[in-house]
Amino acid sequence: MLLRKELWVFYTKMLRNFISCSSCRAECKNLLSLGSSLGSSPQVTIRLCIPNRCTQHIQSDALRGMYIRKTKTDSIDSVVIADVIRFGRYCETSVEPGDLQAMRELCRQRFYIIDMASDLKRKVIALLDQVFPEYEKLFSDTFGVSSMELLSQCTTPEEMLSVSSQQLAEVLEKASRGRLGAEKAVEIQDAAKNSFGIVMASSSFSLIIRQYIEQIYSLESSVDIFNTEIALLLSGFDTQLTTITGIGPTLAAVILSEIGGDISRFSSPAKLAAYAGVDPTVKQSGDFSGTRMKMFKRGSPYLRRAIWLASAVAAFKDSAIHALYERKRAEGIDHMTVIGHKS
C-alpha cells in the first residue's frame, strides 16, 4: 500500500496532468473543485469559481463507501478522487448567480424556523395536556390568534379563574375582532373550574408556556420577514411556477433555487423526480420484482418538501388532480401514498 506522502504525490501529479490536458484549463472556463479533501466545504470552495462558469465538484463522502472499513482520511480521499478523475466519473456544474444562492439560503432557513416553531407548539400542547387538558376543545385551533392571545395572558385554569369573565371577554373580543366574547369567556371559565389538570408547580408550567408563546410569536414574525425578502428575490426571475395550482411565491422560490434555476438541466421528468427523491425505490432480483415500494427520499429534502406541500394543496384545488386523487383513494390507497404519487 502506498504511504500517505506517496499518495499525495501521486494525487498531485494526476491532478496536475488532468488540469493541463483539460479543455476547461485551456479556455479558463472551468475549475476543479476538491473542497472535501482539501478541508473546505463546497460552499467555501465554490467561491473560488468565477460566476457564470463551471466547476467539477467531487464529493468523496459517498464514494468512500466502496471501502469495507469506515474510515475518513486524506489518503483514502486522495485515492478515491484520483480514481474518479482517471475514469472521468464526474460532471460539470454551473456556478449559480448570487441571487439564486441567496434565495436558496433564505428558503432553507425559513423551513428551519418553521420547524423550530412547530417544535415549540408541540411542547406547549404537551404542557397544556398536563395543566389544562380540556383546553384543546375550547378552540378549533390552539395556535389561532384568539387562543394565542389568551395563553399569553392566562395559561393555567387558576389564572383564568383569577380574572373576571368580563376581562376575559374583552381579551377574546379584541383578539377575534368581535367574533368571540362573553359566551366564550363563560365556557372557558366553566372548563377551568372542572379541570382535572395537575395543580402542583402550576406557576412553573405557566412561566414555561408563556416563554414558549413569546418565542413562537418571534419565530412567526421572522417567517414573515423571510417571506417578504424571498418574494422580492423571486420577482427578479422569469418563472411561471406561481401559475401552477398549489404553488405560491415561497414554494416557487424553493423549487427554482433547489433545481439551480434552470429546469432544462433535467432531460426528463423522471430525472427531476429522482433529484427530489420522490420516485419509488426499485427492488428486483432474479424472478422477483418488488411491488410495495417506498419513496426514495434522496436528493434535496427541501425540494421534496416543497413539491409535497404543493401536491397536498393541488389535490383539492385542481379539478384534474382532484379527480386522480379520488380515483386512487377509491382503489384503497391511503392519503399519504396518493399525495406522494402525485408529487
Side-chain angles (χ1 to χ4, degrees):
M1 180 179 288
L2 294 173
L3 298 176
R4 178 189 177 95
K5 183 177 180 180
E6 293 172 327
L7 279 168
W8 272 107
V9 171
F10 167 72
Y11 162 70
T12 304
K13 287 181 179 179
M14 195 162 204
L15 178 60
R16 187 181 297 115
N17 291 335
F18 169 78
I19 293 177
S20 63
C21 296
S22 175
S23 60
C24 67
R25 175 71 175 85
E27 299 177 7
C28 297
K29 289 185 178 179
N30 301 331
L31 291 173
L32 182 66
S33 170
L34 300 170
S36 177
S37 289
L38 298 180
S40 60
S41 67
Q43 289 78 11
V44 174
T45 309
I46 206 79
R47 293 176 187 172
L48 299 174
C49 302
I50 303 173
N52 300 322
R53 297 189 180 177
C54 295
T55 176
Q56 288 131 347
H57 183 78
I58 298 175
Q59 174 57 264
S60 61
D61 181 63
L63 299 169
R64 225 177 288 127
M66 295 185 296
Y67 297 88
I68 191 169
R69 290 187 177 90
K70 188 176 182 180
T71 55
K72 166 65 177 78
T73 65
D74 291 338
S75 300
I76 289 179
D77 282 353
S78 300
V79 173
V80 170
I81 292 175
D83 281 341
V84 172
I85 295 173
R86 183 159 59 96
F87 290 107
R89 298 173 61 183
Y90 58 89
C91 59
E92 291 183 351
T93 300
S94 298
V95 180
E96 299 165 350
D99 286 349
L100 195 65
Q101 294 184 35
M103 190 164 65
R104 181 172 60 241
E105 288 303 319
L106 285 174
C107 291
R108 291 182 176 184
Q109 292 304 314
R110 177 185 176 276
F111 277 142
Y112 176 68
I113 292 173
I114 288 175
D115 290 341
M116 288 176 62
S118 299
D119 186 52
L120 287 173
K121 289 178 181 180
R122 286 190 289 269
K123 292 180 184 295
V124 169
I125 290 174
L127 292 171
L128 286 174
D129 284 343
Q130 297 179 65
V131 297
F132 197 177
E134 299 82 7
Y135 188 85
E136 66 174 349
K137 297 180 180 179
L138 296 174
F139 293 92
S140 58
D141 182 7
T142 302
F143 300 99
V145 177
S146 302
S147 177
M148 287 282 281
E149 182 63 28
L150 177 61
L151 288 174
S152 66
Q153 299 186 36
C154 305
T155 56
T156 63
E158 292 79 10
E159 291 180 352
M160 294 183 185
L161 291 172
S162 67
V163 298
S164 66
S165 58
Q166 183 179 354
Q167 289 177 304
L168 207 59
E170 289 176 357
V171 171
L172 292 170
E173 187 174 1
K174 182 179 180 181
S176 65
R177 297 182 180 180
R179 291 188 302 104
L180 304 176
E183 186 177 347
K184 175 59 73 171
V186 172
E187 180 186 354
I188 291 172
Q189 289 193 325
D190 286 343
K193 288 177 184 178
N194 301 313
S195 176
F196 59 87
I198 60 176
V199 180
M200 294 183 297
S202 61
S203 60
S204 297
F205 281 108
S206 176
L207 175 62
I208 295 170
I209 292 173
R210 277 199 178 91
Q211 291 300 311
Y212 284 164
I213 294 296
E214 288 183 12
Q215 292 180 49
I216 290 171
Y217 274 134
S218 176
L219 290 171
E220 289 180 343
S221 176
S222 297
V223 171
D224 291 337
I225 295 173
F226 273 67
N227 287 341
T228 302
E229 185 63 24
I230 288 170
L232 182 63
L233 287 172
L234 181 66
S235 64
F237 294 90
D238 182 18
T239 176
Q240 303 299 316
L241 282 170
T242 53
T243 62
I244 301 174
T245 304
I247 299 180
T250 302
L251 291 185
V254 175
I255 295 171
L256 186 67
S257 61
E258 289 297 327
I259 66 174
D262 183 14
I263 199 171
S264 63
R265 296 171 55 199
F266 304 93
S267 58
S268 67
K271 291 184 178 180
L272 178 57
Y275 183 75
V278 297
D279 57 333
T281 55
V282 178
K283 293 183 179 179
Q284 180 274 331
S285 179
D287 295 332
F288 169 79
S289 293
T291 55
R292 302 186 63 177
M293 304 306 179
K294 296 181 179 180
M295 189 182 290
F296 201 57
K297 289 190 177 180
R298 290 191 181 181
S300 170
Y302 308 99
L303 178 59
R304 182 165 59 252
R305 183 171 178 174
I307 294 175
W308 178 276
L309 291 171
S311 298
V313 174
F316 300 98
K317 299 294 184 180
D318 185 281
S319 57
I321 297 178
H322 181 67
L324 173 62
Y325 172 84
E326 292 294 343
R327 187 167 69 251
K328 293 295 181 181
R329 292 286 285 139
E331 295 174 3
I333 303 176
D334 64 90
H335 168 77
M336 300 294 282
T337 303
V338 175
I339 295 296
H341 174 73
K342 291 193 300 81
S343 299

